Amino acid sequence: MRFHIRKSIGAAVALALSFATGAQAEPSHGVAMHGEPALPSDYTHFPYANPDAPKGGSVKYGVRGTFDSLNPFVLSSMRTTARGIWDPEFGNLVFESLMLRSRDEPFTMYGLIAEKVDMDEERTWAEFSINPDAKWSDGVPITPEDVIFTYEILTEKGRPPYNRRMNNIDKIEKTGDLKVKFTFNENADREFPLLVMLTPVLPKHATNVETFEQSTLTPPVGSGPYLVDSIEPGTRITYKRNPDYWAKDIPSKRGFDNYDSVTVEYFRDQTALFEAFKKGVFDIYPESDPVKWETAYDFPAVEDGRIKKASFVSNRPESMLGFFFNTRRDQFADPKVREALAMLFDFEWVNKNLFGDRYTRTGSYWQNSDELSALGRPADEREKALLEPYPDAVLPEVMDGTYTPVETDGSGRDRSVMRAALEKLGEAGYAISDGKLMKDGKQLSFEIMTSNLDEEKMALAYKRTADTLGIDVSVRTVDDAQFQKRRQTYDYDMTAASLSSSLSPGAEQIWRWGSRSRDVEGTFNYAGASDPAIDAMIDALVNAREREDFAAAVRALDRILISGHYVIPLYHIRESWVAHWAHIKYPEKTPLYGYQLPVWWSEK
């Protein structure tokens, strides 16, 4: 890899170079993955933010777990960094990226640290113009040298995916006092420039290179709207507004960051978390259990209006929540075994007895997206062309759109389903002997690792069904720290996990399903997938220029993942529920990706 820094060049030379390389006539205020940005260059704010939201007051969030670091960019604290430092839910309170993603479009970036960007049509390079007002929390201006340093330090000492981004970059150059240019190599795809825009920028002058890879509780220097105010390791972290925040009036940040202080409280388990919310220890409680939503909110603070219940509906695809097979384990290497074992999850019994029939079974990795989901839709000609080199990658029923997850009679002991599962296991070489399902003298056995009571209940329901076929299933619920550590190192047979879904899936699919991520510690490839067909579909979707080609590639990938039976899919529900104390308010408009906490505010 190479890092290049050039001296500032004259305006005339820069203009000549721009014509020579086929640059756009004018740098752009935004970039969309497909098509053009929805907002014009003179936009004043994101449509889901209230530019007149009052500033002041405070918010307290509650989370389950612990923390031991303020550095989210290294492997040693990948899962145990204090929430809020660099946070997709609470907002990037301390560190920021070159540009900011709008949550009301599939994948579009708008100016932040970089106020504009210039790219060629092929996206082989991108030149960023840094906002002259951009500065670090200690008052030092943000420079091209900071951007270049970020890639140097993250490549050498960062965690995935940041440490691998230089693999797609030929060089990074300083092309002006406030300009930095990336030239991409043959490994880069059309999405990669947007990932560069999403990468955090770190301060060269305030980063200790020698100790960067270590966990730390030293408050960092960032460019974001908040400063670390106080820390109680593992228990609480509080942020205070930076009164000199440089970006408070730029369009992409109007209506954001409305509190004077933000606190994140940590709790040992979900029960303690909910009880603390009821007592007013923190302000906002996202609820995922429909039974609790209907039955558990009958306490005084709800009845007298001090706590409000809010429901939101987004247009994003549903997340894939499920029990993930670790195909690195020998017992799960055969897809027929995985298919048979997936059949043994009696969703109908679980839904009726544990959740009052309130959930819908998940069957697709882009469930409820008419454009991206393959469920109930025959493959079109674009998909068939993509899948032609891989004739065995997709099951016939998945290809023709007739596939649905197995449905039982809800008894918890559907003999026809168990008989069919046993037949498939027989095709894989298993047979029942003395009440045990055996192959080569060994019983089929595995452990399901869970992290909370709800996951444990579903795992135990699965165990009861599997026991009837002589399968030795154990269920182990571990604390959050152990759960994160074991999942990070793939130290499990099967585990409960959730993969969020997007209207613009891209390179993150490499770190969920690509062969490159199978043996790299700390990725989200929980299943250990490694399949040339998967890799080809990911390559097709990240390089697609037209939305139709992109959607076809996503559906083709969906078909391969469904056919591979990497996951026992669980359930979803279209609504998102949030209980909050009454002083917390939010905008009327719910964006494409659902409610966004960074644009909420307090009336106190």
Side-chain angles (χ1 to χ4, degrees):
M1 66 189 67
R2 294 177 290 165
F3 297 92
H4 300 259
I5 300 179
R6 295 195 311 188
K7 300 297 182 182
S8 177
I9 59 179
V13 177
L15 182 62
L17 283 176
S18 70
F19 281 114
T21 55
Q24 299 174 354
E26 292 291 339
S28 176
H29 70 292
V31 176
M33 181 61 197
H34 301 104
E36 298 297 324
L39 301 179
S41 59
D42 60 351
Y43 81 102
T44 59
H45 61 280
F46 286 165
Y48 56 90
N50 175 9
D52 299 318
K55 302 289 185 180
S58 64
V59 68
K60 291 184 178 181
Y61 298 117
V63 297
R64 184 169 57 89
T66 187
F67 74 94
D68 61 9
S69 179
L70 302 184
N71 184 352
F73 309 121
V74 295
L75 195 59
S76 63
S77 56
M78 180 179 177
R79 310 291 188 195
T80 56
T81 300
R83 294 290 304 276
I85 298 286
W86 174 260
D87 198 301
E89 184 179 5
F90 301 155
N92 298 331
L93 305 184
V94 175
F95 291 102
E96 295 179 312
S97 50
L98 284 169
M99 303 185 81
L100 185 65
R101 183 174 185 174
S102 169
R103 292 297 174 175
D104 205 37
E105 301 174 51
F107 194 2
T108 302
M109 305 295 296
Y110 292 92
L112 187 56
I113 290 177
E115 58 181 352
K116 291 186 177 180
V117 60
D118 192 10
M119 290 195 301
D120 65 329
E121 180 64 26
E122 299 299 321
R123 297 189 179 181
T124 62
W125 58 265
E127 185 177 54
F128 297 94
S129 299
I130 296 174
N131 191 312
D133 295 327
K135 61 182 179 180
W136 300 106
S137 56
D138 59 4
V140 175
I142 300 176
T143 66
E145 285 85 357
D146 290 315
V147 178
I148 296 169
F149 167 77
T150 295
Y151 280 80
E152 292 175 338
I153 191 71
L154 291 180
T155 299
E156 182 181 354
K157 299 188 175 186
R159 67 168 175 85
Y162 308 117
N163 62 342
R164 296 176 179 271
R165 288 194 172 157
M166 200 61 204
N167 294 344
N168 298 342
I169 300 170
D170 179 55
K171 58 184 176 181
I172 310 174
E173 305 169 274
K174 177 179 178 179
T175 52
D177 290 342
L178 290 174
K179 288 189 176 183
V180 60
K181 181 178 179 180
F182 289 73
T183 302
F184 308 116
N185 62 29
E186 66 278 358
N187 297 324
D189 50 57
R190 289 185 61 79
E191 185 197 45
F192 186 71
L194 278 74
L195 300 184
V196 168
M197 300 172 200
L198 276 172
T199 302
V201 179
L202 309 180
K204 181 177 181 180
H205 73 285
T207 302
N208 187 327
V209 175
E210 297 301 319
T211 61
F212 181 77
E213 73 273 25
Q214 301 172 12
S215 297
T216 179
L217 290 172
T218 301
V221 171
S223 65
Y226 291 91
L227 308 170
V228 175
D229 187 32
S230 63
I231 304 168
E232 296 180 37
T235 301
R236 178 183 299 109
I237 180 168
T238 300
Y239 304 88
K240 64 180 179 181
R241 181 192 302 282
N242 180 0
D244 299 319
Y245 177 48
W246 67 274
K248 60 180 179 294
D249 293 322
I250 70 171
S252 64
K253 293 292 279 183
R254 288 196 186 111
F256 283 69
D257 316 316
N258 297 314
Y259 309 105
D260 282 342
S261 70
V262 178
T263 300
V264 184
E265 302 271 357
Y266 286 76
F267 299 88
R268 66 183 182 277
D269 56 45
Q270 206 68 29
T271 300
L273 189 71
F274 187 57
E275 291 302 315
F277 170 71
K278 290 164 62 176
K279 296 173 182 176
V281 176
F282 62 94
D283 298 306
I284 300 173
Y285 188 87
E287 181 58 77
S288 59
D289 186 335
V291 177
K292 281 183 62 181
W293 187 245
E294 292 183 13
T295 63
Y297 290 80
D298 56 355
F299 49 92
V302 176
E303 294 168 352
D304 63 23
R306 286 175 294 147
I307 285 179
K308 304 292 186 181
K309 296 173 67 178
S311 178
F312 304 89
V313 177
S314 75
N315 290 309
R316 70 174 184 268
E318 301 297 332
S319 298
M320 172 54 76
L321 171 68
F323 289 123
F324 283 64
F325 295 101
N326 186 355
T327 63
R328 303 171 186 84
R329 299 287 202 255
D330 290 341
Q331 64 265 46
F332 296 145
D334 189 337
K336 287 184 178 179
V337 172
R338 302 196 297 269
E339 181 180 6
L341 293 176
M343 294 170 65
L344 298 179
F345 179 70
D346 194 335
F347 168 76
E348 285 68 31
W349 184 93
V350 168
N351 196 30
K352 178 176 65 176
N353 289 276
L354 300 184
F355 303 117
D357 281 329
R358 294 169 176 87
Y359 281 120
T360 300
R361 184 77 189 271
T362 301
S364 163
Y365 291 83
W366 285 272
Q367 186 93 20
N368 293 327
S369 170
D370 294 335
E371 181 187 32
L372 303 182
S373 174
L375 206 63
R377 177 174 181 164
D380 64 17
E381 293 307 314
R382 285 185 173 90
E383 293 175 70
K384 289 176 181 177
L386 288 168
L387 293 167
E388 185 177 8
Y390 310 98
D392 300 324
V394 177
L395 297 172
E397 62 269 27
V398 179
M399 198 73 168
D400 64 22
T402 61
Y403 165 83
T404 58
V406 169
E407 185 174 343
T408 73
D409 60 14
S411 66
R413 194 181 289 267
D414 189 323
R415 293 184 179 278
S416 63
V417 171
M418 288 193 287
R419 188 180 305 113
L422 187 59
E423 289 177 1
K424 287 189 178 295
L425 288 165
E427 294 173 12
Y430 284 95
I432 294 178
S433 176
D434 295 328
K436 298 179 180 180
L437 191 68
M438 307 288 287
K439 179 181 178 181
D440 299 329
K442 296 175 63 176
Q443 184 181 14
L444 177 57
S445 63
F446 55 90
E447 178 188 88
I448 305 176
M449 184 179 71
T450 61
S451 65
N452 59 53
L453 185 59
D454 286 341
E455 294 171 358
E456 183 181 277
K457 287 178 180 177
M458 289 184 290
L460 289 172
Y462 179 86
K463 170 180 168 60
R464 284 194 296 271
T465 305
D467 283 347
T468 63
L469 292 187
I471 302 171
D472 178 23
V473 178
S474 59
V475 177
R476 184 177 182 188
T477 300
V478 299
D479 62 43
D480 185 71
Q482 186 177 359
F483 185 79
Q484 298 295 353
K485 179 63 177 177
R486 288 184 60 183
R487 202 160 69 171
Q488 181 175 315
T489 57
Y490 315 121
D491 182 20
Y492 52 83
D493 299 328
M494 181 188 291
T495 187
S498 178
L499 292 177
S500 61
S501 201
S502 164
L503 288 164
S504 185
E508 81 283 351
Q509 301 300 315
I510 296 172
W511 305 105
R512 296 178 176 189
W513 304 106
S515 298
R516 288 165 51 189
S517 63
R518 183 182 187 274
D519 298 317
V520 178
E521 185 177 309
T523 74
F524 297 94
N525 193 344
Y526 302 129
S530 179
D531 184 339
I534 292 176
D535 297 338
M537 297 312 112
I538 296 174
D539 185 66
L541 69 89
V542 296
N543 283 297
R545 293 196 176 196
E546 302 299 328
R547 185 72 186 182
E548 293 81 1
D549 293 331
F550 165 77
V554 177
R555 291 194 301 272
L557 175 60
D558 196 25
R559 295 184 198 280
I560 295 171
L561 297 179
I562 293 170
S563 300
H565 297 285
Y566 294 101
V567 179
I568 301 176
L570 297 180
Y571 52 72
H572 66 274
I573 202 161
R574 288 308 304 271
E575 291 180 293
S576 297
W577 300 307
V578 180
H580 61 87
W581 284 81
H583 71 95
I584 298 294
K585 305 296 180 181
Y586 50 86
E588 292 183 7
K589 177 179 173 58
T590 300
L592 196 64
Y593 279 98
Y595 70 87
Q596 301 294 311
L597 294 178
V599 299
W600 291 23
W601 65 89
S602 171
E603 279 195 337
K604 281 187 179 179

Coordinates of all heavy atoms in Angstrom, one line a residue, residues 113-169:
I113 N -17.8 17.1 7.2 CA -16.4 17.6 7.2 C -16.0 18.1 5.8 O -15.4 19.1 5.7 CB -15.5 16.5 7.8 CG1 -15.7 16.3 9.3 CG2 -14.0 16.9 7.5 CD1 -14.9 15.2 9.9
A114 N -16.4 17.2 4.8 CA -16.2 17.7 3.5 C -17.5 18.3 3.0 O -18.5 17.7 3.0 CB -15.8 16.5 2.6
E115 N -17.4 19.6 2.6 CA -18.6 20.3 2.2 C -19.0 19.9 0.8 O -20.2 20.0 0.4 CB -18.4 21.8 2.3 CG -17.3 22.4 1.5 CD -17.2 23.9 1.7 OE1 -18.1 24.5 2.3 OE2 -16.2 24.5 1.2
K116 N -18.0 19.5 0.0 CA -18.3 19.0 -1.4 C -17.4 17.9 -1.8 O -16.3 17.7 -1.2 CB -18.2 20.2 -2.4 CG -19.3 21.3 -2.2 CD -19.3 22.3 -3.2 CE -20.4 23.3 -3.1 NZ -20.4 24.4 -4.1
V117 N -17.8 17.2 -2.9 CA -16.9 16.1 -3.4 C -17.0 16.2 -5.0 O -18.1 16.5 -5.5 CB -17.4 14.8 -2.9 CG1 -18.8 14.5 -3.3 CG2 -16.5 13.7 -3.4
D118 N -15.9 15.9 -5.6 CA -15.8 15.8 -7.0 C -15.4 14.4 -7.4 O -14.5 13.8 -6.8 CB -14.8 16.8 -7.5 CG -14.9 17.0 -9.1 OD1 -15.8 16.5 -9.7 OD2 -14.0 17.7 -9.6
M119 N -16.1 13.8 -8.4 CA -15.7 12.4 -8.8 C -15.9 12.3 -10.3 O -16.7 13.0 -10.9 CB -16.7 11.4 -8.1 CG -16.5 11.2 -6.7 SD -17.3 9.6 -6.1 CE -19.0 10.0 -6.6
D120 N -15.1 11.4 -10.9 CA -15.3 11.1 -12.3 C -16.5 10.1 -12.5 O -17.0 9.5 -11.5 CB -14.1 10.5 -13.0 CG -13.7 9.2 -12.4 OD1 -14.0 9.0 -11.2 OD2 -13.1 8.4 -13.1
E121 N -17.0 10.0 -13.7 CA -18.2 9.2 -13.9 C -18.0 7.7 -13.5 O -18.9 7.0 -13.1 CB -18.6 9.3 -15.4 CG -19.8 8.4 -15.8 CD -21.1 8.9 -15.1 OE1 -21.1 10.1 -14.8 OE2 -22.0 8.1 -15.0
E122 N -16.7 7.2 -13.7 CA -16.4 5.8 -13.4 C -16.2 5.6 -11.9 O -16.0 4.5 -11.5 CB -15.2 5.4 -14.2 CG -15.4 5.4 -15.7 CD -16.5 4.5 -16.2 OE1 -16.6 3.4 -15.6 OE2 -17.3 4.9 -17.1
R123 N -16.1 6.7 -11.2 CA -15.8 6.6 -9.7 C -14.4 6.0 -9.5 O -14.3 5.1 -8.6 CB -16.9 5.9 -9.0 CG -18.3 6.6 -9.1 CD -19.3 6.0 -8.1 NE -20.6 6.8 -8.2 CZ -21.6 6.5 -7.5 NH1 -21.6 5.5 -6.6 NH2 -22.7 7.2 -7.7
T124 N -13.5 6.3 -10.3 CA -12.1 5.8 -10.1 C -11.3 6.7 -9.1 O -10.3 6.4 -8.7 CB -11.3 5.7 -11.4 OG1 -11.2 7.0 -12.0 CG2 -12.1 4.8 -12.4
W125 N -11.9 7.9 -8.9 CA -11.2 8.8 -7.9 C -12.3 9.8 -7.3 O -13.4 9.9 -7.8 CB -10.1 9.7 -8.5 CG -10.6 10.5 -9.7 CD1 -10.5 10.2 -11.0 CD2 -11.1 11.8 -9.7 NE1 -11.0 11.2 -11.8 CE2 -11.4 12.2 -11.0 CE3 -11.5 12.7 -8.6 CZ2 -12.0 13.5 -11.3 CZ3 -12.0 14.0 -9.0 CH2 -12.3 14.3 -10.3
A126 N -12.0 10.3 -6.1 CA -12.9 11.3 -5.5 C -12.0 12.3 -4.8 O -11.1 12.0 -4.0 CB -13.8 10.6 -4.5
E127 N -12.3 13.6 -5.0 CA -11.6 14.7 -4.4 C -12.6 15.4 -3.4 O -13.6 15.9 -3.9 CB -11.0 15.6 -5.4 CG -10.2 16.7 -4.8 CD -9.5 17.6 -5.8 OE1 -10.3 18.2 -6.6 OE2 -8.3 17.8 -5.8
F128 N -12.2 15.6 -2.2 CA -13.0 16.2 -1.2 C -12.5 17.6 -0.8 O -11.3 17.8 -0.6 CB -13.1 15.3 0.1 CG -13.6 13.9 -0.1 CD1 -12.8 12.9 -0.4 CD2 -15.0 13.7 0.0 CE1 -13.3 11.6 -0.6 CE2 -15.5 12.5 -0.3 CZ -14.7 11.4 -0.5
S129 N -13.5 18.5 -0.7 CA -13.2 19.9 -0.3 C -13.6 20.0 1.2 O -14.8 20.0 1.5 CB -13.9 20.9 -1.1 OG -13.6 20.8 -2.5
I130 N -12.6 20.1 2.1 CA -12.9 20.2 3.5 C -13.5 21.6 3.9 O -13.1 22.6 3.4 CB -11.6 19.9 4.3 CG1 -11.2 18.5 4.1 CG2 -11.9 20.2 5.8 CD1 -9.8 18.2 4.7
N131 N -14.6 21.5 4.7 CA -15.2 22.8 5.1 C -14.2 23.6 5.8 O -13.6 23.2 6.8 CB -16.4 22.5 6.0 CG -17.3 23.7 6.3 OD1 -16.8 24.7 6.6 ND2 -18.6 23.5 6.1
P132 N -14.0 24.9 5.4 CA -13.0 25.7 6.1 C -13.3 26.0 7.6 O -12.4 26.3 8.3 CB -13.0 27.0 5.3 CG -14.3 27.0 4.5 CD -14.6 25.6 4.3
D133 N -14.5 25.8 8.0 CA -14.9 26.0 9.4 C -14.7 24.7 10.2 O -14.8 24.8 11.5 CB -16.4 26.4 9.5 CG -16.6 27.8 8.9 OD1 -15.7 28.6 8.9 OD2 -17.7 27.9 8.3
A134 N -14.4 23.6 9.6 CA -14.3 22.3 10.3 C -13.1 22.3 11.2 O -12.0 22.6 10.8 CB -14.2 21.2 9.3
K135 N -13.3 22.0 12.5 CA -12.2 22.0 13.5 C -12.5 20.9 14.5 O -13.6 20.4 14.8 CB -12.1 23.3 14.1 CG -13.3 23.8 14.9 CD -13.0 25.2 15.5 CE -14.2 25.7 16.2 NZ -14.0 27.1 16.8
W136 N -11.4 20.5 15.2 CA -11.4 19.6 16.3 C -11.9 20.3 17.5 O -12.0 21.5 17.6 CB -10.1 18.9 16.5 CG -9.6 18.2 15.3 CD1 -8.6 18.6 14.4 CD2 -10.1 17.0 14.8 NE1 -8.4 17.7 13.4 CE2 -9.3 16.7 13.6 CE3 -11.1 16.1 15.2 CZ2 -9.5 15.6 12.8 CZ3 -11.3 15.0 14.4 CH2 -10.5 14.7 13.2
S137 N -12.3 19.5 18.5 CA -12.9 20.0 19.8 C -11.9 20.9 20.5 O -12.3 21.7 21.4 CB -13.4 18.9 20.7 OG -12.4 18.0 20.9
D138 N -10.6 20.8 20.2 CA -9.6 21.6 20.9 C -9.3 22.9 20.1 O -8.4 23.6 20.4 CB -8.3 20.8 21.1 CG -7.7 20.3 19.9 OD1 -8.2 20.5 18.8 OD2 -6.7 19.5 20.0
G139 N -10.1 23.1 19.0 CA -9.9 24.3 18.2 C -9.0 24.2 17.0 O -8.9 25.1 16.2
V140 N -8.3 23.1 16.9 CA -7.3 22.9 15.8 C -8.1 22.6 14.5 O -9.0 21.8 14.5 CB -6.3 21.8 16.1 CG1 -5.4 21.5 14.9 CG2 -5.5 22.1 17.3
P141 N -7.8 23.3 13.4 CA -8.6 23.0 12.1 C -8.3 21.6 11.6 O -7.3 21.0 11.8 CB -7.9 24.0 11.1 CG -7.4 25.1 12.0 CD -6.9 24.4 13.2
I142 N -9.4 21.0 11.0 CA -9.3 19.7 10.3 C -8.6 19.9 9.0 O -9.0 20.8 8.2 CB -10.6 19.1 10.2 CG1 -11.3 18.9 11.5 CG2 -10.5 17.7 9.4 CD1 -12.7 18.3 11.5
T143 N -7.6 19.1 8.6 CA -6.8 19.2 7.4 C -6.8 18.0 6.6 O -7.1 16.9 7.1 CB -5.4 19.6 7.8 OG1 -4.8 18.5 8.5 CG2 -5.3 20.8 8.7
P144 N -6.3 18.0 5.4 CA -6.1 16.8 4.6 C -5.2 15.9 5.3 O -5.3 14.6 5.1 CB -5.5 17.4 3.3 CG -6.0 18.8 3.2 CD -6.1 19.3 4.6
E145 N -4.2 16.4 6.0 CA -3.2 15.5 6.7 C -4.0 14.6 7.7 O -3.6 13.4 7.9 CB -2.2 16.3 7.4 CG -1.1 16.9 6.5 CD -1.5 18.2 5.9 OE1 -2.7 18.7 6.1 OE2 -0.7 18.8 5.1
D146 N -5.1 15.1 8.3 CA -5.8 14.3 9.3 C -6.5 13.1 8.5 O -6.5 12.0 9.0 CB -6.9 15.1 9.9 CG -6.3 16.1 10.9 OD1 -5.5 15.8 11.7 OD2 -6.8 17.3 10.9
V147 N -7.0 13.4 7.4 CA -7.7 12.4 6.6 C -6.7 11.3 6.2 O -7.0 10.1 6.3 CB -8.4 13.0 5.3 CG1 -9.0 11.9 4.5 CG2 -9.4 14.0 5.7
I148 N -5.5 11.7 5.7 CA -4.5 10.7 5.3 C -4.0 9.9 6.5 O -3.9 8.7 6.4 CB -3.3 11.5 4.6 CG1 -3.8 12.1 3.3 CG2 -2.2 10.5 4.4 CD1 -2.8 13.1 2.7
F149 N -3.8 10.6 7.6 CA -3.4 9.9 8.9 C -4.4 8.9 9.3 O -4.0 7.8 9.8 CB -3.2 11.0 10.0 CG -3.0 10.4 11.3 CD1 -1.8 9.7 11.7 CD2 -4.1 10.4 12.2 CE1 -1.7 9.2 13.0 CE2 -4.0 9.8 13.5 CZ -2.8 9.2 13.9
T150 N -5.7 9.2 9.2 CA -6.7 8.3 9.5 C -6.5 7.0 8.9 O -6.6 5.9 9.5 CB -8.1 8.9 9.2 OG1 -8.3 10.0 10.0 CG2 -9.2 7.9 9.5
Y151 N -6.3 7.0 7.6 CA -6.1 5.7 6.8 C -4.8 5.0 7.2 O -4.8 3.8 7.2 CB -6.2 6.0 5.3 CG -7.6 6.1 4.9 CD1 -8.3 7.3 5.1 CD2 -8.3 5.0 4.3 CE1 -9.7 7.4 4.7 CE2 -9.7 5.1 4.0 CZ -10.3 6.3 4.2 OH -11.7 6.4 3.8
E152 N -3.8 5.8 7.5 CA -2.5 5.1 7.9 C -2.7 4.4 9.2 O -2.4 3.2 9.3 CB -1.5 6.2 8.1 CG -1.0 6.9 6.8 CD 0.0 8.0 7.0 OE1 0.0 8.6 8.1 OE2 0.7 8.3 6.1
I153 N -3.3 5.0 10.2 CA -3.5 4.4 11.5 C -4.5 3.3 11.5 O -4.3 2.3 12.2 CB -3.8 5.5 12.6 CG1 -3.7 4.9 14.0 CG2 -5.2 6.1 12.4 CD1 -2.2 4.7 14.4
L154 N -5.6 3.5 10.8 CA -6.6 2.4 10.8 C -6.1 1.2 10.0 O -6.5 0.1 10.3 CB -7.9 2.9 10.2 CG -8.7 4.0 11.1 CD1 -10.0 4.4 10.4 CD2 -9.0 3.4 12.5
T155 N -5.4 1.4 9.0 CA -4.8 0.3 8.2 C -3.8 -0.5 9.1 O -3.9 -1.8 9.0 CB -4.1 0.8 7.0 OG1 -5.0 1.5 6.1 CG2 -3.5 -0.4 6.2
E156 N -3.0 0.2 9.8 CA -2.0 -0.5 10.7 C -2.6 -1.1 11.9 O -2.2 -2.2 12.3 CB -0.9 0.5 11.0 CG 0.2 -0.1 11.8 CD 1.3 0.9 12.2 OE1 1.2 2.0 11.8 OE2 2.2 0.5 13.0
K157 N -3.5 -0.4 12.6 CA -3.9 -0.8 13.9 C -5.5 -0.9 14.1 O -5.9 -1.2 15.2 CB -3.3 0.1 14.9 CG -1.8 0.1 14.9 CD -1.2 0.9 16.1 CE 0.3 0.8 16.1 NZ 0.9 1.5 17.3
G158 N -6.2 -0.6 13.1 CA -7.7 -0.5 13.2 C -8.3 -1.9 13.1 O -7.7 -2.9 12.8
R159 N -9.6 -1.9 13.4 CA -10.4 -3.2 13.3 C -11.1 -3.2 11.9 O -11.2 -2.2 11.2 CB -11.4 -3.2 14.4 CG -12.6 -2.2 14.3 CD -13.7 -2.5 15.2 NE -14.7 -1.4 15.3 CZ -15.7 -1.4 14.4 NH1 -15.8 -2.2 13.4 NH2 -16.6 -0.4 14.5
P160 N -11.6 -4.4 11.6 CA -12.5 -4.5 10.4 C -13.7 -3.7 10.5 O -14.2 -3.6 11.7 CB -12.8 -6.0 10.3 CG -11.8 -6.7 11.1 CD -11.4 -5.7 12.2
P161 N -14.2 -3.0 9.5 CA -13.7 -3.1 8.1 C -12.7 -2.0 7.8 O -12.1 -1.9 6.7 CB -15.0 -2.9 7.3 CG -15.8 -1.9 8.1 CD -15.5 -2.3 9.6
Y162 N -12.4 -1.1 8.8 CA -11.6 0.1 8.5 C -10.1 -0.3 8.2 O -9.5 0.4 7.3 CB -11.5 1.0 9.8 CG -12.9 1.4 10.3 CD1 -13.3 1.0 11.5 CD2 -13.8 2.1 9.5 CE1 -14.6 1.3 12.0 CE2 -15.1 2.4 9.9 CZ -15.5 2.0 11.2 OH -16.7 2.3 11.6
N163 N -9.6 -1.4 8.7 CA -8.2 -1.7 8.5 C -8.0 -2.3 7.1 O -6.8 -2.5 6.7 CB -7.7 -2.7 9.5 CG -8.5 -4.0 9.5 OD1 -9.6 -4.1 9.0 ND2 -7.9 -5.1 10.1
R164 N -9.1 -2.5 6.3 CA -8.9 -3.1 5.0 C -9.3 -2.2 3.9 O -9.2 -2.6 2.7 CB -9.8 -4.4 4.9 CG -9.3 -5.5 5.9 CD -10.2 -6.7 5.8 NE -9.7 -7.7 6.8 CZ -8.8 -8.7 6.4 NH1 -8.3 -8.7 5.2 NH2 -8.4 -9.5 7.3
R165 N -9.7 -1.0 4.2 CA -10.1 -0.1 3.2 C -9.0 0.4 2.3 O -9.2 0.7 1.1 CB -10.9 1.1 3.8 CG -12.2 0.6 4.3 CD -13.2 1.7 4.7 NE -14.5 1.0 5.0 CZ -15.4 1.6 5.7 NH1 -15.3 2.8 6.2 NH2 -16.6 0.9 5.9
M166 N -7.8 0.4 2.8 CA -6.6 0.8 2.0 C -6.4 -0.2 0.9 O -5.7 0.2 -0.1 CB -5.4 1.1 2.8 CG -4.3 1.9 2.2 SD -4.9 3.6 1.9 CE -3.8 4.1 0.5
N167 N -6.9 -1.4 1.0 CA -6.7 -2.4 0.0 C -7.4 -2.0 -1.3 O -7.0 -2.5 -2.4 CB -7.3 -3.7 0.4 CG -6.6 -4.3 1.6 OD1 -5.5 -4.0 1.9 ND2 -7.2 -5.3 2.2
N168 N -8.3 -1.0 -1.3 CA -9.0 -0.6 -2.5 C -8.5 0.8 -3.0 O -9.2 1.4 -3.9 CB -10.5 -0.5 -2.2 CG -11.1 -1.8 -1.8 OD1 -10.6 -2.9 -2.1 ND2 -12.3 -1.8 -1.2
I169 N -7.5 1.3 -2.3 CA -7.0 2.7 -2.6 C -5.6 2.6 -3.2 O -4.7 2.0 -2.6 CB -7.1 3.6 -1.4 CG1 -8.5 3.6 -0.9 CG2 -6.5 4.9 -1.7 CD1 -8.6 4.3 0.5

